[in-house]
Amino acid sequence: MRPGEIVTETIDLAFAHDSSGPRRWKRHLDRLGIGLWDADKVAIVTDHDVPATDAASAGILKLAHDFVAEHRIGAGKAP
């Protein structure tokens, strides 16, 4: 590769943690009216706000949990 080249790759796994993934991705996916490209290739790990220590961290964990459930992450073949 050289600077400025466009590279196309196949994604094996997209990883995010509780604070960077669902909190950032959800608003963009909702705005675009789309879901994840392949929920079977996404992993969300809760590691920043576990255990929740206040209402804000509890809200982040709930958003992460709800996002995982909505997109069926880790449920096998996603719809």
Side-chain angles (χ1 to χ4, degrees), residues 28-51:
H28 296 295
L29 294 173
D30 289 351
R31 181 177 50 87
L32 294 169
I34 60 173
L36 296 174
W37 81 98
D38 188 344
D40 295 326
K41 293 183 178 183
V42 175
I44 304 292
V45 176
T46 54
D47 65 343
H48 282 71
D49 293 298
V50 178

Side-chain angles (χ1 to χ4, degrees), residues 1 33 37 49 53 58 65 67 70 78:
M1 283 190 335
W37 81 98
D49 293 298
T53 56
H65 181 270
F67 185 88
E70 176 185 351

